[in-house]
Amino acid sequence: MAFSLRRGSPGRKLLMAGAAVALVMTAQPASAATIPAVDEVVTSPNVELVANLPKQAPFDNQNAFGTDLAFKGKYAYVGNYDGFTIYDISKPKKPVLVSQVVCPGSQNDISITGNLLFLSTDSSRSDNSCSSVSQSAREKSSWEGIKIFDVSDVRNPKYVAAVETPCGSHTHTLVPENSRRKSSVYVYVSSYSPNAAFPDCQPPHDLISIIKVPLNNPAAAALVGTPNLFPDGGNPGLPAPYPNGRSATSGCHDITVYAEKNIAAGACMGDGVLMDISDRENPKVIDKVQDMTNFAFWHSATFNDRGDKIVFTDELGGGSGATCNAEIGPLRGANAIYDIKRGKLEFKSYYKISREQSTRENCVAHNGSLIPVKGRDIMVQAWYQGGISIWDFTDSANPQEIGWFDRGPLSETQSILGGSWSAYYYNGYIFSSDIQKGLDVLKIRDPRTNRANGFRYDILNTQSQQSFFDHDWDDDDDDDDDDDDDDDD
């Protein structure tokens, strides 16, 4: 169930996830007695955990956090603070580890195009190599930025290039050229938290970095611009003890582009922005919004398929806080849904899971993707140790949860950072990168989402959205599995 609050109507509604027809009733807050036991898996009736592949050495330690995912063909590419892993997911119920690359540099946000894989480094390193060590950002020789690998041989990826960017690269987004040639790809780099003591990360930092990568010569990748998105300095923030502080803007945390519509949404710490990216090297802010009441840190953004809505997330507590409880409530650490009306962002409602989590579980809105159902706006989303929520925001003012997955706390006696970092829908299944537990694969069987079974991606970088109507659809709208996972290899 999920908190689903809208302006002017602070009621809570419960959508029974297993029903073919939505049944709405008053929801009560979850009690401590309903919190799963350590490592216990619970789901709504329409969701099943069909596979888990634990982290493998050398990424099998508590500090080797699993991070974001990207997909191409039958492979899933999963970032890790210590490098990245490639899985064969041609049989989703039996994912197979293909290779691992050790290349420390948190948080190794990941994306792919063609045979090129991109990693974000947002921790100060001694150099740009995969054998680098931590080094203070006060040292001019320290390095942070984007690394590029050739993964044409998935069993033996090759490191081909690196580009240093101001304040490093916390996340990045691939943007195709706005031309028929498509001979290059742009990388929009998000970074923040400048410091006058850091030579390569000086305030003010009201910018993003733009890298241009020739696809036939990625070694020639270069920084081509650092456009200032906030000439007025952006949100000044509100210093206050947790959970009441509001972040000042000093860059962006994440950008999602909808290239075919020439628009982008930026989640920029204290601001949510809508941009025109017709000129890829000179994005222009069309509109920006702030929420000084409930949003502490604008974290990420997702368009609906029509490109007339944006879901922004608030990462209250920075991802390590326990915000899914009665003390924090339903409005903070949540999603905010905005309609786009004549180029302006119009707030419609908040959405937050209502399954109460223990004080040992980090839980807040995090990364998700659309489930491709024509005519509906349905999203699957990670909530760290709050699990995974599948929810419908077709009615922007009345979002409703239709399915969920939750795993009990990692410990009853200590706080351990964990849970689903990212949960994305890809070719019939939900794939989740769990910080500690590795790769989870889930299946949702529900009349409201079964039509998505007929949709096939060739490639998926969730921050580089494409219309569903530009992809192939099979005539598969039932809830049967369409793979041969139960057959012998």
Side-chain angles (χ1 to χ4, degrees), residues 2-35:
F3 286 112
S4 173
L5 290 115
R6 53 178 172 157
R7 188 169 46 190
S9 180
R12 285 179 290 177
K13 298 181 180 179
L14 169 65
L15 182 65
M16 301 303 292
V21 178
L23 301 176
V24 180
M25 61 185 71
T26 302
Q28 299 299 320
S31 67
T34 65
I35 296 173

Side-chain angles (χ1 to χ4, degrees), residues 53 203 220 226-227 245 257 324 330 370 402 406 416-417 434 459 462 469 484:
L53 189 58
T226 54
V257 301
C324 299
L370 298 180
I402 63 174
D406 194 8
I416 301 172
L417 188 72
D434 188 287
I459 191 167
T462 58
F469 296 96
D484 59 352

